[in-house]
Amino acid sequence: MLEFRAGKMHLEGKKVVPDTRKGLVRIDRGEEGLIHFQWLDRTLNAVEDDQIIFPDEAVFEKVGQASGRVYILKFNTDDRKFFFWMQEPNAEGDEELCTSVNYHINRPLEILEEEPDTTALQMSEDMVEDEISSRAGNLVLPNLGSGSMSDVTSSSGPVRLEDLQRILSNIEPGGFGLGDIFRPDLIMPLMDTLPVEERLVSYLPEGPWTPEDILELLQSAPFRQQIDSFTYVLKTGQIDLSQFGVDPSKCK
């Protein structure tokens, strides 16, 4: 949906400082129909941060107190804040990119048609690598007092359980999802009484799997995200229940 070069920023003491790595912000719609705001290390081509965003839940805007091209992704539903610094060579395009970000993260979930390619026009890696390093050293940001520090969340790590809980609450307030069933405290007792391990073998990567390994899997963020995505398609009727031996006519 949208990609542009930007580095992320992190807390160092009471200041927000730039991560000097070459980065990429990517906004895309996952297979489950949800919007993902991702940050990638361009050198490794690896996704480090992945935030799920619902319409009208967050805003992307320029940080007025900072010198340089510093932007913030700020959530309205909680205190999460993620800082980024632009690495695109053409600063004149920053405002247009900012507008595009807000457009894409606030699109209704039901719009699932194929998106046009709005990837930002970019210069070659060799032409901007040195410029990125020099600009990282020139960024000056406001000092964050102790009161502000509690409002800034580190952008490292995978999608968290809070994201999954928000998905359920946005789908159906107070609703019951698969995440409420696939809990370690409910599943692990079954490991002692049922041949669960043998039944799961064909669905797991090759290698020995102990109950402890399965417990770790159940608690992992990627697994929890997929469980919640599955809840979404179940509740919105985007999946054929008959493939699971369930008669759709008997289910609401």
Side-chain angles (χ1 to χ4, degrees), residues 56-72:
D56 302 319
E57 185 181 45
V59 63
F60 188 75
E61 60 188 12
K62 194 176 190 302
V63 178
Q65 306 96 308
S67 66
R69 300 157 62 192
V70 179
Y71 284 76
I72 182 174

mmCIF file of all heavy atoms in Angstrom, residues 56-72:
data_model
loop_
_atom_site.group_PDB
_atom_site.id
_atom_site.type_symbol
_atom_site.label_atom_id
_atom_site.label_comp_id
_atom_site.label_asym_id
_atom_site.label_seq_id
_atom_site.Cartn_x
_atom_site.Cartn_y
_atom_site.Cartn_z
ATOM 1 N N ASP A 56 -9.137 5.291 12.553
ATOM 2 C CA ASP A 56 -9.309 6.351 13.560
ATOM 3 C C ASP A 56 -8.661 6.017 14.897
ATOM 4 O O ASP A 56 -8.988 6.626 15.915
ATOM 5 C CB ASP A 56 -10.799 6.654 13.784
ATOM 6 C CG ASP A 56 -11.501 7.071 12.506
ATOM 7 O OD1 ASP A 56 -10.892 7.833 11.731
ATOM 8 O OD2 ASP A 56 -12.640 6.631 12.271
ATOM 9 N N GLU A 57 -7.732 5.064 14.900
ATOM 10 C CA GLU A 57 -7.082 4.685 16.147
ATOM 11 C C GLU A 57 -5.755 5.411 16.351
ATOM 12 O O GLU A 57 -5.278 5.544 17.476
ATOM 13 C CB GLU A 57 -6.835 3.171 16.158
ATOM 14 C CG GLU A 57 -6.271 2.656 17.474
ATOM 15 C CD GLU A 57 -6.007 1.166 17.443
ATOM 16 O OE1 GLU A 57 -5.446 0.674 16.451
ATOM 17 O OE2 GLU A 57 -6.345 0.492 18.424
ATOM 18 N N ALA A 58 -5.122 5.893 15.276
ATOM 19 C CA ALA A 58 -3.805 6.504 15.391
ATOM 20 C C ALA A 58 -3.655 7.623 14.376
ATOM 21 O O ALA A 58 -4.419 7.725 13.404
ATOM 22 C CB ALA A 58 -2.712 5.452 15.194
ATOM 23 N N VAL A 59 -2.664 8.462 14.601
ATOM 24 C CA VAL A 59 -2.366 9.559 13.684
ATOM 25 C C VAL A 59 -0.861 9.637 13.487
ATOM 26 O O VAL A 59 -0.082 9.361 14.408
ATOM 27 C CB VAL A 59 -2.926 10.900 14.215
ATOM 28 C CG1 VAL A 59 -2.259 11.271 15.543
ATOM 29 C CG2 VAL A 59 -2.743 12.007 13.191
ATOM 30 N N PHE A 60 -0.445 9.981 12.281
ATOM 31 C CA PHE A 60 0.970 10.145 11.944
ATOM 32 C C PHE A 60 1.180 11.620 11.647
ATOM 33 O O PHE A 60 0.533 12.192 10.773
ATOM 34 C CB PHE A 60 1.308 9.295 10.718
ATOM 35 C CG PHE A 60 2.783 9.233 10.388
ATOM 36 C CD1 PHE A 60 3.652 8.457 11.141
ATOM 37 C CD2 PHE A 60 3.296 9.939 9.301
ATOM 38 C CE1 PHE A 60 4.993 8.380 10.829
ATOM 39 C CE2 PHE A 60 4.640 9.878 8.983
ATOM 40 C CZ PHE A 60 5.493 9.091 9.750
ATOM 41 N N GLU A 61 2.095 12.266 12.392
ATOM 42 C CA GLU A 61 2.271 13.696 12.240
ATOM 43 C C GLU A 61 3.696 14.117 12.551
ATOM 44 O O GLU A 61 4.464 13.385 13.179
ATOM 45 C CB GLU A 61 1.305 14.445 13.162
ATOM 46 C CG GLU A 61 1.491 14.143 14.640
ATOM 47 C CD GLU A 61 0.407 14.754 15.511
ATOM 48 O OE1 GLU A 61 -0.609 15.214 14.952
ATOM 49 O OE2 GLU A 61 0.571 14.778 16.740
ATOM 50 N N LYS A 62 4.037 15.321 12.090
ATOM 51 C CA LYS A 62 5.383 15.867 12.307
ATOM 52 C C LYS A 62 5.528 16.359 13.741
ATOM 53 O O LYS A 62 4.586 16.887 14.327
ATOM 54 C CB LYS A 62 5.652 17.026 11.340
ATOM 55 C CG LYS A 62 7.118 17.444 11.253
ATOM 56 C CD LYS A 62 7.301 18.522 10.202
ATOM 57 C CE LYS A 62 8.785 18.761 9.940
ATOM 58 N NZ LYS A 62 9.529 19.148 11.152
ATOM 59 N N VAL A 63 6.716 16.139 14.311
ATOM 60 C CA VAL A 63 7.002 16.623 15.664
ATOM 61 C C VAL A 63 7.482 18.057 15.554
ATOM 62 O O VAL A 63 8.569 18.330 15.034
ATOM 63 C CB VAL A 63 8.067 15.750 16.354
ATOM 64 C CG1 VAL A 63 8.385 16.307 17.741
ATOM 65 C CG2 VAL A 63 7.582 14.314 16.461
ATOM 66 N N GLY A 64 6.660 18.991 16.019
ATOM 67 C CA GLY A 64 6.973 20.402 15.849
ATOM 68 C C GLY A 64 8.165 20.878 16.657
ATOM 69 O O GLY A 64 8.896 21.781 16.235
ATOM 70 N N GLN A 65 8.405 20.266 17.832
ATOM 71 C CA GLN A 65 9.477 20.748 18.706
ATOM 72 C C GLN A 65 10.862 20.315 18.238
ATOM 73 O O GLN A 65 11.868 20.811 18.734
ATOM 74 C CB GLN A 65 9.278 20.244 20.135
ATOM 75 C CG GLN A 65 7.908 20.564 20.722
ATOM 76 C CD GLN A 65 6.958 19.383 20.561
ATOM 77 O OE1 GLN A 65 6.805 18.859 19.459
ATOM 78 N NE2 GLN A 65 6.339 18.967 21.660
ATOM 79 N N ALA A 66 10.926 19.373 17.304
ATOM 80 C CA ALA A 66 12.214 18.824 16.888
ATOM 81 C C ALA A 66 12.726 19.520 15.647
ATOM 82 O O ALA A 66 11.970 19.902 14.761
ATOM 83 C CB ALA A 66 12.081 17.327 16.618
ATOM 84 N N SER A 67 14.042 19.702 15.598
ATOM 85 C CA SER A 67 14.659 20.164 14.363
ATOM 86 C C SER A 67 14.924 18.941 13.509
ATOM 87 O O SER A 67 15.281 17.878 14.003
ATOM 88 C CB SER A 67 15.967 20.891 14.661
ATOM 89 O OG SER A 67 16.928 20.004 15.197
ATOM 90 N N GLY A 68 14.739 19.065 12.237
ATOM 91 C CA GLY A 68 14.889 17.909 11.379
ATOM 92 C C GLY A 68 13.541 17.303 11.040
ATOM 93 O O GLY A 68 12.485 17.759 11.492
ATOM 94 N N ARG A 69 13.566 16.250 10.283
ATOM 95 C CA ARG A 69 12.353 15.650 9.719
ATOM 96 C C ARG A 69 11.891 14.487 10.600
ATOM 97 O O ARG A 69 11.975 13.325 10.221
ATOM 98 C CB ARG A 69 12.631 15.211 8.289
ATOM 99 C CG ARG A 69 13.055 16.366 7.402
ATOM 100 C CD ARG A 69 13.850 15.883 6.197
ATOM 101 N NE ARG A 69 13.062 15.013 5.338
ATOM 102 C CZ ARG A 69 13.574 14.275 4.365
ATOM 103 N NH1 ARG A 69 14.883 14.291 4.154
ATOM 104 N NH2 ARG A 69 12.798 13.508 3.631
ATOM 105 N N VAL A 70 11.401 14.818 11.778
ATOM 106 C CA VAL A 70 10.995 13.827 12.773
ATOM 107 C C VAL A 70 9.477 13.727 12.807
ATOM 108 O O VAL A 70 8.771 14.733 12.893
ATOM 109 C CB VAL A 70 11.534 14.194 14.168
ATOM 110 C CG1 VAL A 70 11.091 13.157 15.195
ATOM 111 C CG2 VAL A 70 13.055 14.295 14.131
ATOM 112 N N TYR A 71 8.973 12.478 12.775
ATOM 113 C CA TYR A 71 7.535 12.232 12.776
ATOM 114 C C TYR A 71 7.182 11.251 13.879
ATOM 115 O O TYR A 71 8.032 10.486 14.346
ATOM 116 C CB TYR A 71 7.075 11.695 11.420
ATOM 117 C CG TYR A 71 7.001 12.765 10.355
ATOM 118 C CD1 TYR A 71 8.159 13.255 9.763
ATOM 119 C CD2 TYR A 71 5.781 13.309 9.960
ATOM 120 C CE1 TYR A 71 8.111 14.263 8.806
ATOM 121 C CE2 TYR A 71 5.709 14.304 8.999
ATOM 122 C CZ TYR A 71 6.873 14.776 8.429
ATOM 123 O OH TYR A 71 6.815 15.766 7.489
ATOM 124 N N ILE A 72 5.917 11.282 14.280
ATOM 125 C CA ILE A 72 5.463 10.415 15.364
ATOM 126 C C ILE A 72 4.190 9.686 14.945
ATOM 127 O O ILE A 72 3.298 10.270 14.308
ATOM 128 C CB ILE A 72 5.197 11.228 16.655
ATOM 129 C CG1 ILE A 72 4.764 10.307 17.799
ATOM 130 C CG2 ILE A 72 4.169 12.318 16.422
ATOM 131 C CD1 ILE A 72 4.638 11.036 19.137
#
